Amino acid sequence: MKLWQKNTSVASEIEKFTVGRDPDFDLQLAAFDVLGSLAHTRMLESIGLLEKAELDELQRELKIIYQSIQKGEFSIEPGVEDVHSQVELELTRRVGEAGKKIHSGRSRNDQVLVDLKLFFRHQLQQTVQQVQNLFEVLLTQSEKHKDKLLPGYTHLQVAMPSSFGLWFGAYAESLIDDMHLLQAAYKITDKNPLGSAAGYGSSFPLNRQMTTDLLGFESLNYNVVYAQMGRGKTERVVSVALASVAATLARMAMDLCLYMSQNFAFVTLPDNLTTGSSIMPHKKNPDVFEIMRGKCNRLQALPNEVTMMLVNLPSGYHRELQLLKECLFPAFSEIENCLQMMAFMAEHLQVRDKIMEEEKYKYAFSVDAVNAEVLSGVPFRDAYKNVGASIEAGSFTVPASVTHTHEGSIGNLCNEQIRGLMEQAVKGFNFSRAEKALQELVS
């Protein structure tokens, strides 16, 4: 069954090539397709295109189909082109003629658009929750290890004292900026395209605000041409947000690969969280972080992959847009899996103490020594030369203590302020509006 098919058959070679892997990804849209139809049929009844008895019958059966999807009992039959066709076929079998009416005022174009928007909105919420979980682990570790110093590097050369409190907290704060990009993606996703039909609207008196409210969207894509142009643009913005999260994880994973090596030896992991060598008995390899680094580096290429799919498309719908599912759908599970694993691994990191007492790190305190002379009245340039001369002469003495007290420094991590920024960012999503609307739709 195909929603567009009339009396002419399509060659099997054409069908196989154009459909491709779409049915596999359509299964992930099934629940959202039913949600869209629940809202659309209620709107059709409100403008006189369905009888009340027909609506009641359709709503009942759609909710039964929705429950079967939730239980994993729904499938797309052989010969049925997509999830939209399958749902309509199911309804027609169950309720007869009324099932044939649900496509009124709707094209497969805006039907898949609303499915995708609902799917992306749901997946972004899952990603946000995983980011929050990792954030909490990092901030907890930052507080736990705030007094343990480690060397900071510039150009991969020992530079100045840092701390595990600063290091964990830095990645926690990085996630806040990632959260702002996720919020931008969510806001662009949270607009209703339903009613734009094939991209040029409908001669039916559709109530687009009604479906917007029923589906819990913040607003709608008003211009019907732009609603269709949003296919691809939404994916590109979402891909940028996911790539930003991936960049944070990849960088942290790289740090940990270095910090676990014997040349650094800043952190270790329990033996059961590492792997070994087939010939070297001493090896404890950070395979999880290496795989994560690879996965996240690949995710950082996602925006370019999406962009190249769109680069020479004019306005209107084009069939290659369906290929965006192939790169973006797996990306959500990939980033969420990496976030979960990083939170798990970070929680089990074993941090070494007294690293900075080693002789090889003593010159990391040279800036503190310069600053101590400045505070005693020596001009900065003279103090710099004095300490430099003591290093060259081999007479440099490490200061007795590190006295960094300004905001965001070793002695003043500002973790509570960082936590406040994350809480503020999360509030900006307003997930409850969508959750409440969809719950009412299926109840």
Side-chain angles (χ1 to χ4, degrees):
M1 176 189 172
K2 301 173 183 63
L3 295 179
W4 51 268
Q5 192 164 2
K6 295 176 275 292
N7 297 317
T8 305
S9 296
V10 174
S12 60
E13 294 87 351
I14 301 299
E15 182 175 345
K16 183 178 180 181
F17 184 79
T18 56
V19 172
R21 298 171 59 197
D22 220 35
D24 298 334
F25 296 107
D26 265 16
L27 274 177
Q28 297 181 54
L29 296 178
F32 305 103
D33 192 74
V34 173
L35 289 169
S37 291
L38 282 166
H40 184 68
T41 51
R42 285 175 62 172
M43 186 275 296
L44 289 179
E45 189 272 339
S46 75
I47 63 172
L49 290 180
L50 283 175
E51 299 295 330
K52 180 65 167 65
E54 291 176 319
L55 174 66
D56 291 343
E57 203 171 18
L58 287 166
Q59 290 277 307
R60 183 184 67 248
E61 296 302 327
L62 281 167
K63 290 174 184 178
I64 292 172
I65 294 171
Y66 182 82
Q67 290 165 6
S68 75
I69 295 167
Q70 298 297 88
K71 294 175 183 176
E73 298 170 353
F74 179 87
S75 62
I76 299 174
E77 299 170 23
V80 176
E81 185 176 23
D82 53 36
V83 68
H84 327 297
S85 306
Q86 185 67 51
V87 171
E88 188 171 320
L89 178 62
E90 282 284 330
L91 280 175
T92 305
R93 285 171 178 165
R94 292 164 183 253
V95 304
E97 293 300 305
K100 300 176 183 179
K101 295 183 178 183
I102 69 167
H103 206 60
S104 303
R106 190 166 62 169
S107 165
R108 192 166 61 160
N109 291 4
D110 66 335
Q111 192 171 352
V112 72
L113 269 172
V114 79
D115 291 3
L116 287 168
K117 292 278 193 126
L118 293 170
F119 172 78
F120 292 150
R121 196 173 66 177
H122 173 77
Q123 291 296 334
L124 285 168
Q125 183 173 356
Q126 303 304 306
T127 303
V128 165
Q129 289 169 354
Q130 294 299 333
V131 170
Q132 281 183 275
N133 291 341
L134 176 56
F135 175 86
E136 288 299 328
V137 170
L138 295 178
L139 224 53
T140 298
Q141 292 286 63
S142 176
E143 283 295 319
K144 180 179 178 180
H145 301 294
K146 63 183 178 182
D147 295 323
K148 296 176 183 175
L149 297 183
L150 81 159
Y153 294 82
T154 63
H155 308 275
L156 274 181
Q157 308 297 306
V158 174
M160 292 178 63
S162 181
S163 71
F164 283 103
L166 272 183
W167 183 80
F168 280 112
Y171 283 105
E173 189 168 351
S174 179
L175 290 173
I176 298 172
D177 284 344
D178 298 333
M179 194 70 89
H180 289 312
L181 286 173
L182 288 168
Q183 189 178 103
Y186 190 86
K187 284 185 175 295
I188 288 171
T189 299
D190 200 19
K191 294 179 181 178
N192 181 24
L194 195 57
S196 61
Y200 303 99
S202 172
S203 56
F204 291 123
L206 305 177
N207 185 342
R208 298 189 63 211
Q209 186 59 52
M210 180 178 178
T211 56
T212 298
D213 296 337
L214 287 171
L215 292 167
F217 284 110
E218 183 179 33
S219 63
L220 49 81
N221 290 127
Y222 288 98
N223 186 295
V224 292
V225 173
Y226 178 65
Q228 186 57 60
M229 288 166 62
R231 180 88 184 265
K233 182 172 184 178
T234 302
E235 285 90 333
R236 183 167 56 203
V237 175
V238 169
S239 71
V240 169
L242 298 185
S244 182
V245 178
T248 296
L249 294 179
R251 196 167 197 173
M252 187 174 178
M254 180 61 202
D255 276 0
L256 287 165
C257 287
L258 288 175
Y259 290 178
M260 282 187 66
S261 74
Q262 290 91 335
N263 300 75
F264 287 78
F266 297 161
V267 299
T268 58
L269 283 167
D271 288 350
N272 65 337
L273 300 185
T274 63
T275 62
S277 163
S278 62
I279 65 170
M280 293 173 281
H282 68 283
K283 293 294 290 295
K284 289 176 62 174
N285 298 325
D287 285 14
V288 168
F289 298 127
E290 292 171 346
I291 292 291
M292 187 181 301
R293 183 175 58 194
K295 286 176 178 285
C296 289
N297 286 344
R298 186 169 60 190
L299 283 168
Q300 289 180 79
L302 185 62
N304 189 55
E305 188 174 357
V306 173
T307 298
M308 293 309 296
M309 198 78 72
L310 310 172
V311 73
N312 58 355
L313 295 185
S315 61
Y317 175 74
H318 309 278
R319 187 66 182 269
E320 63 260 51
L321 290 167
Q322 78 182 34
L323 299 177
L324 293 173
K325 297 177 190 175
E326 296 183 16
C327 58
L328 197 53
F329 279 34
F332 281 108
S333 56
E334 198 85 289
I335 194 68
E336 288 167 24
N337 183 247
C338 287
L339 284 163
Q340 290 172 357
M341 188 55 66
M342 183 61 89
F344 175 76
M345 298 296 278
E347 210 166 12
H348 289 84
L349 276 178
Q350 298 168 349
V351 171
R352 190 158 68 87
D353 200 3
K354 304 187 186 306
I355 296 169
M356 296 298 287
E357 293 181 9
E358 296 177 25
E359 178 72 13
K360 62 184 175 182
Y361 297 124
K362 73 176 184 178
Y363 294 137
F365 296 93
S366 65
V367 177
D368 294 77
V370 169
N371 291 346
E373 288 200 20
V374 172
L375 288 170
S376 69
V378 179
F380 176 83
R381 189 52 57 202
D382 292 339
Y384 178 90
K385 290 179 179 178
N386 293 342
V387 172
S390 72
I391 291 172
E392 290 178 4
S395 59
F396 174 77
T397 302
V398 176
S401 62
V402 176
T403 55
H404 297 212
T405 58
H406 67 73
E407 295 93 333
S409 64
I410 295 172
N412 185 7
L413 296 175
C414 293
N415 281 342
E416 284 310 305
Q417 290 88 333
I418 291 171
R419 185 183 300 280
L421 290 174
M422 177 58 87
E423 290 172 355
Q424 186 180 358
V426 173
K427 284 179 183 176
F429 287 91
N430 193 14
F431 293 131
S432 59
R433 181 191 63 248
E435 290 171 343
K436 181 181 178 183
L438 297 185
Q439 185 57 45
E440 290 175 354
L441 204 54
V442 297
S443 62

